[in-house]
Amino acid sequence: MNALLATTLALAGLGFGGLAFTRSSVVHAATLVMAALLLLAGAMLALSAGLAAALMILVHAGAIVAVLLFIALTTPAASGRNSRPLALVRAALLLSPLAALMVLGVAALPAGLPQAAPPVAAVGQLLFGPWAVGVELASLLLLVALIGARQLLRRDPEDRR
Amino acid sequence: MTALLLIALAFQLLALFAMVARSSLLFQLLGLELAMAGAALAFVAAGAFGPAGLEAGQAMVLVVLAIATAEAGLGFALYLAVTRRGKDDDTDKLDRLND
């Protein structure tokens, strides 16, 4: 039952995500992507992954896409009109072999049984125990991205005058 | 699990479609966000039904979100750097950062 609910919510999210790239306005597209992310969070909640669902709502939909919305609303050049010619044909040609390979890979997986929700402490023990190096690498990546963003937006001394 | 993994795969393909079909930088960034969300769904589904356990799936979502945040931060900075110079955000026309 929970797996069925999760699949339905994820499918609805996929529909919203697909709709986003038919829009010409980036604000409309970002709103649809936000709805897709919230539905995905619902799907994760149905799979008893409450922590992942909360993170998706707070960080992905609540922070990243919200900042993108602010940027789209406050910069003048955010126009979504420029779409490439013959986009559907080019995308289908590029993606169909890849899609076929991925579907074959998924079909070859063994089926499993759903599990009960683990305590959040188990996630923490995993992150700061065996996965500590990976978590440190992710934090290093964030630091480098922060420095890179600051460097990209640095103003030249003559611009300040 | 197979249905959820297929939906996660569809999210990846949708993101690739966005990269191919739209040339606006913000649309491409939105597509990348959906790719990250699809990866997160795949990890949760694999954790919920696979041998690794749901705690491993949720921990991977945390790592995926760290990568998504880093990517979004750099992408937004790039977009702002482009628009500050008064250019259009068409990635077909952008080839330099320093003019």
Side-chain angles (χ1 to χ4, degrees):
Chain A
M1 182 61 200
N2 279 352
L4 186 66
L5 179 64
T7 310
T8 314
L9 285 171
L11 264 180
L14 185 64
F16 274 96
L19 269 182
F21 297 106
T22 62
R23 304 289 99 184
S24 60
S25 156
V26 74
V27 176
H28 293 175
T31 314
L32 284 166
V33 166
M34 193 182 273
L37 292 176
L38 291 177
L39 282 165
L40 272 187
M44 289 176 183
L45 203 59
L47 289 173
S48 318
L51 178 67
L55 283 172
M56 286 291 288
I57 294 172
L58 286 173
V59 180
H60 221 162
I64 298 178
V65 182
V67 169
L68 191 142
L69 260 177
F70 281 129
I71 290 176
L73 287 169
T74 51
T75 51
S79 71
R81 283 189 297 278
N82 45 357
S83 59
R84 292 175 173 154
L86 289 176
L88 265 177
V89 180
R90 285 166 46 173
L93 278 178
L94 266 173
L95 303 183
S96 50
L98 188 64
L101 265 181
M102 287 167 142
V103 170
L104 281 179
V106 170
L109 284 171
L113 290 172
Q115 298 180 355
V120 177
V123 181
Q125 277 165 3
L126 194 65
L127 282 174
F128 293 99
W131 290 15
V133 177
V135 172
E136 288 305 319
L137 280 177
S139 70
L140 188 68
L141 178 75
L142 274 175
L143 180 68
V144 171
L146 187 71
I147 296 170
R150 199 236 166 273
Q151 187 68 17
L152 271 174
L153 290 175
R154 187 171 52 94
R155 286 183 192 274
D156 292 332
E158 56 263 28
D159 288 350
R160 291 203 187 104
R161 279 184 226 121
Chain B
M1 173 167 77
T2 310
L4 282 168
L5 286 183
L6 281 176
I7 295 172
L9 156 67
F11 268 100
Q12 305 299 320
L13 293 177
L14 184 61
L16 285 171
F17 170 75
M19 305 298 285
V20 175
R22 306 303 294 254
S23 56
S24 163
L25 195 56
L26 276 186
F27 271 95
Q28 292 184 341
L29 282 173
L30 273 176
L32 280 179
E33 292 312 319
L34 280 187
M36 295 289 179
L41 178 71
F43 279 121
V44 169
F49 297 100
L54 204 46
E55 64 269 24
Q58 294 194 90
M60 274 311 290
V61 171
L62 204 75
V63 177
V64 166
L65 281 182
I67 297 171
T69 312
E71 164 256 315
L74 270 182
F76 295 159
L78 196 60
Y79 174 78
L80 287 175
V82 166
T83 52
R84 182 187 281 173
R85 287 166 173 79
K87 289 183 182 174
D88 194 19
D89 65 332
D90 187 346
T91 46
D92 286 340
K93 294 176 192 153
L94 292 172
D95 55 354
R96 294 182 68 80
L97 275 174
N98 62 347
D99 57 13

